[in-house]
Amino acid sequence: MSKKLIGAAAVLCAAALTASACSAPERKSDTPSSSATSSTSTSASASTGGEATGSLTVLWNQYFYALNSATSFGNNVTNSLITYSTGSAAWYYDKDLKKVKDESFATYEKVSDSPLTVKETLKDTATWSDGVPVQACDLILAYGAQSTLFNTAEGASNEETGKVDQKGGVYFDSSSEAWKLIKDFPEVGDNGKSVTYKYSAPYGDWEYALFSNGAGLPAHIIGKKALGAADDQAGCDAVTKAFKDKDKTALAKIADVWNGSYNFTAMPSDKDLLVTNGPYVIKDMKDKQSLTMTANPEYKGTRKPKIKDITVVYNEDPTASAQALKNGEVSIIEPQATADLLKSLQGNEKIEVLTGTTATYEHVDLQMKNGGPFDPAKYGGDAEKAKKVRQAFLLTIPRQQIVDTLIKPLNPDAKVRDSFNVTPGTPAYDATVAGNGLSAAYGKVDIAKAKSLLQEAGVSNLKVRLLYAKSNPRRQQEYALIAASAKQAGIEVINGGDDDWSNKLGTPNVYDASLFAWASNNDAVTGAAANFVPKGQNNFGNYNSPEVGKMYTEMNSLTDKAKQDELNIKIEKQLVDDAFGTVLFQHPGIDAYDKTKVKNVSQMSFVPYYFWNVWDWELVG
């Protein structure tokens, strides 16, 4: 499995996280659950004004590379920004984290509690950019590809291209606990405009998992490409039939297109691969340099764009981003936040600076199945010895020093984050911290104890390869602080900085510990399972705890928030007891835009960040 992440963070989707590197796949953040109170507006309000006009250039820190962000390869913040802008769903978050229903795309309802049954009905205004209506076959494709219920093989994803070797069977490179529980084939109705899903077990977060990610990819296009269908309707019908009949030959062909055909960094020669159903469509791409979206002429929904063309250029260097904004080369940026960067942006009359705390958090995960220092196989299968080595390393990570040195200059109130899954400041955070044991175990650096644990394990000259984003200044400093602290315990932390770090997360043999971030894209509680359960889409360290797996199975069925919170504390305590890894800090956020050129720009803590209302951006003058 391979997953890319952005230099500043990762995203989870299927559940709730995305590597900022999604559940729908924590988008690579994860599901750290953000417990922000969320209410629902009845529907999206239509954009006012006439036809979209003009152009705008904005900046992001990693180049786009996949139009299918539901695969483990494509699950990344940078891809999610574009798939969000070019896609539609039954609801989305506004800047206050309230759910806004887009009833111009679809409506949904709970039909029954026992068994849990929900129905989604597509509107006539839901249309693909080639003019073909969005139909039930598109929802069936999303369900079949992400549920894992139709997989017959363990596929292997190429870390460079995302292309999947299906090992002679069927393998869709995705995973969703929500879709997995819909074991009965969905019922198609209303002349192909509705789908009814019946769950095999209760699932508390069904609204997040099923209806916040839209139809995904066009079944009529995939049906033609994978199965040779003669026309659009035939392609649509062929995809539905392949899943309904469990036709392994046809499904393997569909999976091949779904997994690999939508991975590209430059304009594909086949323009059918650019068919989407949102306010924007991709118009042009310069390989790993820029991507231009244009207003979708076939879009009939309520989120009609005001700006015709939006170009996203890419640069990971925060200083270069700020300079590009000052020079007028770009109009919106969201660089990695530093005190110097904030100071350089403030005081400029034409620049509006937005600051806050994001739903992205920094963490260190350990690799447990690579024959390395944290793998029991290294010690003849002795799991306790391997755990002591993991504990020793974690005891050397200077969490407070990292926050004091790198984050407090930007946010004087910054604190170490002490939960794997709960965002600081939310109602469940304090109780989670009090019960999970993370602060008690690793709240302070303890070199003496680390040395003692290594001595008990009979391990000396320990070497740990730390993978991180090489060109990211903050990560460079984090590595230096970790390496200096670990050295005091006789541990050599090898510099594994790599500009291609996100590709290598799914390659266990190249690192022993990883330093990156997860970015939440919703406030559901179940999505974090993808980080910790065996074969979970975001479980890069190959952590395997039957206890945690059972607890997440139980979590899926809970609808009482208090009970969910109680069970999450037990899950986090197990993660601490097993020395899974550790958490460092919540990312501070800076958005800045040129108010002389664009308005209606605002900050949101979840993915898709400042892109959340891209259709409402408006040129000034």
Side-chain angles (χ1 to χ4, degrees):
M1 180 176 66
S2 172
K3 181 173 287 188
K4 291 193 177 186
L5 304 140
I6 67 171
V11 176
L12 291 185
C13 289
L17 300 175
T18 299
S20 191
C22 157
S23 229
E26 264 162 0
R27 252 174 187 134
K28 256 165 197 155
S29 277
D30 19 347
T31 299
S33 57
S34 163
S35 302
T37 301
S38 181
S39 60
T40 306
S41 300
T42 55
S43 65
S45 58
S47 298
T48 59
E51 292 298 314
T53 59
S55 62
L56 187 76
T57 300
V58 304
L59 188 144
W60 195 253
N61 62 8
Q62 182 187 7
Y63 60 82
F64 169 89
Y65 63 87
L67 193 55
N68 185 1
S69 58
T71 65
S72 68
F73 180 80
N75 176 26
N76 184 308
V77 170
T78 194
N79 299 324
S80 297
L81 304 180
I82 305 304
T83 58
Y84 176 86
S85 303
T86 60
S88 294
W91 65 267
Y92 59 90
Y93 283 108
D94 68 12
K95 64 183 179 65
D96 298 315
L97 304 187
K98 294 179 180 178
K99 294 196 292 292
V100 181
K101 291 184 178 180
D102 184 355
E103 295 182 349
S104 68
F105 178 76
T107 59
Y108 60 90
E109 60 180 322
K110 183 195 292 185
V111 177
S112 170
D113 282 308
S114 184
L116 174 62
T117 306
V118 296
K119 179 181 179 180
E120 181 169 19
T121 303
L122 295 159
K123 291 301 184 72
D124 291 338
T125 42
T127 309
W128 293 102
S129 57
D130 60 356
V132 175
V134 180
Q135 301 179 68
C137 58
D138 301 307
L139 303 181
I140 293 297
L141 173 62
Y143 154 74
Q146 296 178 69
S147 67
T148 71
L149 295 173
F150 298 87
N151 286 359
T152 65
E154 287 292 332
S157 174
N158 183 289
E159 67 180 49
E160 299 296 333
T161 66
K163 187 173 177 58
V164 173
D165 179 356
Q166 299 188 62
K167 305 295 185 182
V170 178
Y171 182 77
F172 288 93
D173 180 29
S174 188
S175 175
S176 166
E177 294 299 311
W179 292 109
K180 190 183 301 183
L181 292 174
I182 304 171
K183 295 183 179 178
D184 290 345
F185 194 80
E187 177 186 340
V188 174
D190 299 300
N191 295 316
K193 297 297 285 186
S194 73
V195 175
T196 300
Y197 308 96
K198 183 170 70 175
Y199 277 85
S200 60
Y203 187 75
D205 288 325
W206 60 269
E207 186 176 10
Y208 298 90
L210 297 191
F211 304 125
S212 63
N213 294 295
L217 302 180
H220 67 282
I221 296 294
I222 289 183
K224 289 191 291 185
K225 295 193 176 308
L227 305 177
D231 55 43
D232 295 326
Q233 192 57 50
C236 170
D237 294 340
V239 168
T240 298
K241 186 176 188 301
F243 282 107
K244 190 170 185 178
D245 295 348
K246 295 186 177 180
D247 183 338
K248 296 178 182 178
T249 300
L251 290 177
K253 294 177 181 179
I254 292 172
D256 192 53
V257 175
W258 194 86
N259 291 332
S261 295
Y262 289 87
N263 302 329
F264 43 79
T265 59
M267 283 294 280
S269 56
D270 185 350
K271 297 304 186 290
D272 280 350
L273 294 174
L274 300 177
V275 172
T276 50
N277 58 29
Y280 283 95
V281 292
I282 296 175
K283 175 183 179 180
D284 190 29
M285 296 175 67
K286 306 299 182 187
D287 191 20
K288 301 181 182 180
Q289 297 178 42
S290 67
L291 179 149
T292 299
M293 301 182 291
T294 192
N296 178 1
E298 294 292 336
Y299 181 73
K300 300 178 176 66
T302 55
R303 300 178 298 135
K304 292 184 181 296
K306 296 178 179 179
I307 300 176
K308 183 177 181 181
D309 293 325
I310 295 177
T311 297
V312 186
V313 296
Y314 303 105
N315 194 316
E316 189 174 1
D317 185 341
T319 302
S321 300
Q323 195 60 52
L325 180 63
K326 294 176 187 177
N327 293 345
E329 300 167 35
V330 301
S331 297
I332 312 175
I333 64 172
E334 187 175 309
Q336 185 178 86
T338 67
D340 289 342
L341 180 72
L342 179 60
K343 185 177 180 180
S344 75
L345 291 171
Q346 291 173 329
N348 189 312
E349 292 184 357
K350 72 174 186 176
I351 295 176
E352 186 75 22
V353 180
L354 308 174
T355 61
T357 299
T358 73
T360 301
Y361 67 91
E362 197 87 343
H363 60 100
V364 174
D365 293 353
L366 306 186
Q367 180 57 248
M368 303 183 194
K369 196 175 180 182
N370 67 345
F374 305 134
D375 181 355
K378 173 82 170 180
Y379 313 105
D382 191 332
E384 280 302 309
K385 179 178 287 191
K387 184 168 77 170
K388 286 181 178 180
V389 176
R390 295 196 298 272
Q391 290 172 329
F393 175 63
L394 294 176
L395 281 166
T396 70
I397 296 179
R399 302 167 71 220
Q400 188 64 57
Q401 184 186 14
I402 288 172
V403 170
D404 290 344
T405 304
L406 304 179
I407 309 302
K408 279 194 174 182
L410 183 63
N411 176 12
D413 297 323
K415 296 180 180 180
V416 171
R417 171 166 163 156
D418 280 316
S419 171
F420 290 96
N421 298 329
V422 181
T423 303
T426 58
Y429 183 73
D430 289 344
T432 302
V433 171
N436 68 9
L438 180 59
S439 179
Y442 305 113
K444 296 180 179 179
V445 170
D446 193 333
I447 300 299
K449 187 174 180 180
K451 288 181 176 179
S452 177
L453 285 168
L454 290 176
Q455 187 174 17
E456 290 175 22
V459 174
S460 58
N461 300 317
L462 180 64
K463 296 183 179 181
V464 177
R465 298 167 295 174
L466 182 63
L467 177 68
Y468 67 93
K470 181 180 180 180
S471 296
N472 185 302
R474 182 191 291 160
R475 298 265 163 75
Q476 294 170 1
Q477 296 175 74
E478 289 176 65
Y479 160 74
L481 292 172
I482 291 171
S485 180
K487 186 177 181 180
Q488 298 177 55
I491 301 172
E492 180 184 356
V493 181
I494 298 171
N495 190 335
D498 194 318
D499 286 331
D500 201 30
W501 67 277
S502 59
N503 280 344
K504 295 183 177 177
L505 278 176
T507 310
N509 65 339
V510 303
Y511 69 97
D512 306 308
S514 57
L515 170 67
F516 64 103
W518 284 126
S520 304
N521 66 350
N522 67 51
D523 58 353
V525 297
T526 54
N531 293 1
F532 309 120
V533 300
K535 300 179 183 178
Q537 182 168 333
N538 303 312
N539 186 359
F540 298 115
N542 295 290
Y543 172 69
N544 189 344
S545 167
E547 293 82 4
V548 168
K550 290 177 183 177
M551 285 189 278
Y552 269 116
T553 297
E554 181 183 350
M555 177 78 83
N556 286 341
S557 66
L558 296 177
T559 57
D560 184 286
K561 185 66 172 63
K563 291 182 178 179
Q564 290 177 332
D565 293 340
E566 290 173 6
L567 186 56
N568 180 68
I569 291 173
K570 294 179 181 179
I571 289 172
E572 293 204 20
K573 188 176 187 307
Q574 189 66 54
L575 294 174
V576 173
D577 291 346
D578 292 339
F580 168 86
T582 194
V583 190
L584 300 177
F585 56 83
Q586 207 71 20
H587 279 218
I590 293 178
D591 291 270
Y593 65 95
D594 187 336
K595 59 188 178 183
T596 68
K597 293 184 177 180
V598 62
K599 59 184 179 179
N600 300 336
V601 177
S602 58
Q603 189 176 53
M604 188 176 75
S605 58
F606 285 164
V607 176
Y609 302 134
Y610 72 77
F611 279 79
W612 79 268
N613 68 334
V614 60
W615 57 89
D616 268 339
W617 295 350
E618 189 172 359
L619 297 177
V620 175

